[in-house]
Amino acid sequence: MDLSGAHADEDTTTRAAAIANTAKNTARQLLATTGAFGLTPEAVAAAGGFAVADVAAVFPHRDDLLTALIIDAYDASAAAMEQADRAALDAGASAGARLLAVTRALRAWSFAHTAEFTLIYGSPVPGYHAPQDTVPAAARTPASLAAIVRSALEAGELTPPRRAIPGPPLLLPDAVALFGGAPGAPFSDLVERGIVLWSNLIGLLVFQVFSRTHDSVRNESAYFDFAIAVTAESIGLTVPLDGDTGSGTAS
């Protein structure tokens, strides 16, 4: 039996995977210096020291490379959150403490990977339209938050809102499905409030990563914790702030 063809296919696949990984690592380095505008197969090939044809074989166009980096960034940032949540759960933390742990983890990742953070949460790249392939990775961040809020609801850790959102539900079916179904009264608007929490988290990170709060507060990491606690109040969740609120790695 001739296995030479199979071995050749395996070698080709292995080489393509190696080039893809090297190209992405090179592209991440370029992100920090040139931004997304400089990410072309030609630029990545030149910076990585290999042929343009090799890069084009795995990332034919700039958008293919951007999509790969965006998916990796969403996955890496969500993985940091999920790891922090597992550790908090293992420690028997309350839902509020879990929320603080996962948001701190996302903050730490954002400061450690500012170029990737900018790619997924900064200004849109002109001419680029994210394909459906990016949706599962992007959904991991709100899913992490939703899991904590759902757990708090089921454990009776939420305080009912003083004022419900008036009118019909404001949600698309996918948002309800991500949360695991629409809660009943008095928490019928909990998913809408959860989206406020999520959007406030990302907005807060944008302010801090891009130095919009450094001239307003004395301790940015402590302020981050405070802001998360304030936002969590809108969903009826208490975030403990009597721990080490000033221990963030970035300030």
Side-chain angles (χ1 to χ4, degrees):
M1 182 177 181
D2 186 5
L3 298 179
S4 59
H7 288 312
D9 289 342
E10 290 177 4
D11 290 344
T12 300
T13 301
T14 300
R15 184 170 183 272
I19 291 173
N21 286 332
T22 302
K24 288 193 294 183
N25 289 335
T26 302
R28 290 187 190 98
Q29 296 171 8
L30 288 175
L31 269 178
T33 56
T34 67
F37 301 101
L39 291 186
T40 64
E42 293 78 11
V44 171
F50 35 70
V52 175
D54 287 339
V55 179
V58 289
F59 299 116
H61 306 288
R62 179 206 66 168
D63 288 5
D64 300 310
L65 184 57
L66 282 175
T67 295
L69 294 180
I70 288 169
I71 290 173
D72 282 357
Y74 277 129
D75 279 337
S77 58
M81 297 175 70
E82 292 160 2
Q83 182 178 2
D85 194 28
R86 284 192 296 270
L89 275 170
D90 290 344
S94 66
R98 289 172 60 194
L99 180 65
L100 185 58
V102 302
T103 54
R104 280 177 168 179
L106 182 58
R107 181 180 189 269
W109 179 90
S110 300
F111 274 100
H113 304 87
T114 55
E116 291 98 316
F117 174 86
T118 302
L119 180 63
I120 58 177
Y121 293 123
S123 300
V125 179
Y128 175 78
H129 301 283
Q132 191 68 20
D133 293 352
T134 62
V135 172
R140 288 176 63 181
T141 293
S144 293
L145 301 175
I148 294 171
V149 175
R150 168 62 73 175
S151 176
L153 175 64
E154 294 172 350
E157 295 185 51
L158 297 182
T159 301
R162 290 180 295 175
R163 181 176 71 93
I165 296 175
L170 302 173
L171 302 169
L172 294 173
D174 285 350
V176 178
L178 182 68
F179 188 73
F187 298 104
S188 54
D189 60 5
L190 182 59
V191 182
E192 286 96 334
R193 291 174 182 272
I195 294 173
V196 172
L197 171 66
W198 171 33
S199 57
N200 282 358
L201 166 62
I202 301 305
L204 176 61
L205 287 172
V206 167
F207 259 54
Q208 293 210 326
V209 171
F210 299 148
S211 298
R212 302 297 188 218
T213 55
H214 74 281
D215 56 355
S216 302
V217 299
R218 291 194 179 98
N219 185 320
E220 289 197 78
S221 57
Y223 180 77
F224 177 86
D225 291 356
F226 166 79
I228 294 301
V230 169
T231 306
E233 289 179 355
S234 69
I235 62 170
L237 183 62
T238 299
V239 169
L241 290 180
D242 55 351
D244 185 10
T245 59
S247 63
T249 57
S251 61

